[in-house]
Amino acid sequence: MGWKSSLIIIENKEDFTDESKILEALGKSEYEFDRELTLDECIYPNDKSINIGYYNGNIIISDDYQLTTNSLERADKLNLTEEEKKLVELFPISEIVTVACHSAINYHGYSLIENGIKKRLKIISSDEPRIEFGERIKEENEIYDKSYSKGNQNFWKDDDDPEEDFTEDQLMEDFTFGIAKRRLGVLLDHSDGDEIMEQVTFRKYKSPNQTSEVEESIKTDKKAKWIKYGIIILILIIWQILKRTVFKN
């Protein structure tokens, strides 16, 4: 299975449930409730939505790469982004884990915030230089301990084929879901994650302008088609006039 996901997992020490405050902190205060669904349906929504659920003492936000891109790929070392600062204001003593992956380029990234301080950030993919700040955390070390070094790179043996090696970007699921397990207690890509994937209710929020944007796109397409038809008709009219005048003489 090719995984695509981006999650923000917040330790929910005080049973916080005010989702309007969460949306406001994320800079999405205009988003409106759309419907209820499962994480399996919204782990990669591909619709620019924000999806919020609760599991094992955590708030889980599936954000469709809207925020994780800033928190990971566009991060300024271990400095907090504006959205992260707002989340820390809401949850000043909570642990916040951000994870994202995209199988098309073997991309995975994650960060860890503790007590308002970003302690760890790592990003790696098959076609970009790795980015890494802060000390490795326990969940990472458990994966790295199974590797061996060659030419300043880590490799992992393939259990099914001892002659083959895995590179770090190829262990996308191991790192992504291994780090998420730090808070969730389960691996989302294994059977122990079936409950949260299939049974926990998430609430989808979408921009009220999204529908109008789609409608505007449809109108633009229709307008372009009518312009094309109009040009064709005009050419035909001119051709008929030329046939009756210039060519006839």
Side-chain angles (χ1 to χ4, degrees):
M1 176 181 179
W3 285 94
K4 301 178 184 70
S5 64
S6 57
L7 305 171
I8 302 168
I9 308 166
I10 304 169
E11 182 181 14
N12 194 12
K13 292 185 174 182
E14 299 180 353
D15 294 325
F16 189 92
T17 58
D18 190 341
E19 294 175 3
S20 64
K21 291 288 186 183
I22 295 174
L23 292 170
E24 183 180 350
L26 299 177
K28 307 292 183 181
S29 56
E30 79 280 8
Y31 275 36
E32 298 175 351
F33 174 72
D34 181 66
R35 62 189 175 94
E36 293 185 345
L37 69 174
T38 65
L39 181 57
D40 187 51
E41 296 172 298
C42 69
I43 195 166
Y44 178 54
N46 199 27
D47 61 3
K48 297 301 180 185
S49 62
I50 298 291
N51 305 271
I52 302 175
Y54 304 84
Y55 182 78
N56 198 21
N58 299 283
I59 301 169
I60 305 103
I61 304 168
S62 175
D63 79 314
D64 206 19
Y65 300 104
Q66 296 178 82
L67 307 161
T68 56
T69 297
N70 290 335
S71 299
L72 301 175
E73 299 167 60
R74 299 172 185 165
D76 179 15
K77 298 180 180 179
L78 292 176
N79 296 317
L80 298 179
T81 65
E82 289 304 312
E83 296 91 353
E84 288 173 331
K85 290 176 183 177
K86 295 294 185 181
L87 285 177
V88 166
E89 288 178 11
L90 278 183
F91 308 99
I93 57 174
S94 292
E95 183 174 274
I96 302 175
V97 172
T98 297
V99 298
C101 67
H102 200 296
S103 60
I105 53 172
N106 278 354
Y107 160 82
H108 70 261
Y110 46 84
S111 69
L112 171 68
I113 297 173
E114 290 181 327
N115 298 316
I117 299 172
K118 188 178 286 188
K119 298 290 188 69
R120 178 65 171 148
L121 170 67
K122 189 194 100 174
I123 309 159
I124 189 169
S125 71
S126 59
D127 58 0
E128 294 288 342
R130 73 184 292 131
I131 297 173
E132 190 169 9
F133 297 102
E135 297 294 323
R136 289 178 179 172
I137 59 178
K138 178 175 72 70
E139 289 74 16
E140 290 178 276
N141 285 326
E142 291 174 356
I143 302 172
Y144 283 114
D145 286 345
K146 299 174 184 177
S147 69
Y148 71 94
S149 296
K150 182 173 66 175
N152 295 323
Q153 292 189 50
N154 291 95
F155 293 87
W156 286 257
K157 286 293 183 183
D158 184 347
D159 293 335
D160 297 324
D161 186 353
E163 299 300 318
E164 292 293 327
D165 293 329
F166 288 122
T167 56
E168 189 166 342
D169 62 291
Q170 291 175 307
L171 267 71
M172 181 191 80
E173 291 93 341
D174 298 66
F175 280 101
T176 302
F177 301 120
I179 303 303
K181 184 180 179 182
R182 176 185 177 94
R183 289 251 37 95
L184 300 178
V186 297
L187 290 168
L188 295 179
D189 61 334
H190 284 63
S191 58
D192 61 342
D194 287 349
E195 180 184 22
I196 182 174
M197 289 293 289
E198 300 173 4
Q199 299 179 29
V200 174
T201 298
F202 277 69
R203 290 168 58 84
K204 178 184 287 289
Y205 292 89
K206 297 174 70 174
S207 169
N209 299 322
Q210 193 163 334
T211 301
S212 61
E213 288 172 3
V214 171
E215 291 173 347
E216 188 63 34
S217 176
I218 293 172
K219 289 179 182 178
T220 301
D221 290 342
K222 287 182 177 179
K223 183 178 179 181
K225 287 179 181 178
W226 280 114
I227 291 174
K228 181 177 72 173
Y229 295 150
I231 292 172
I232 293 172
I233 292 170
L234 181 61
I235 291 172
L236 290 173
I237 293 172
I238 293 172
W239 172 248
Q240 291 297 325
I241 293 172
L242 290 173
K243 279 175 64 179
R244 294 176 182 178
T245 57
V246 177
F247 297 132
K248 190 173 182 179
N249 296 327

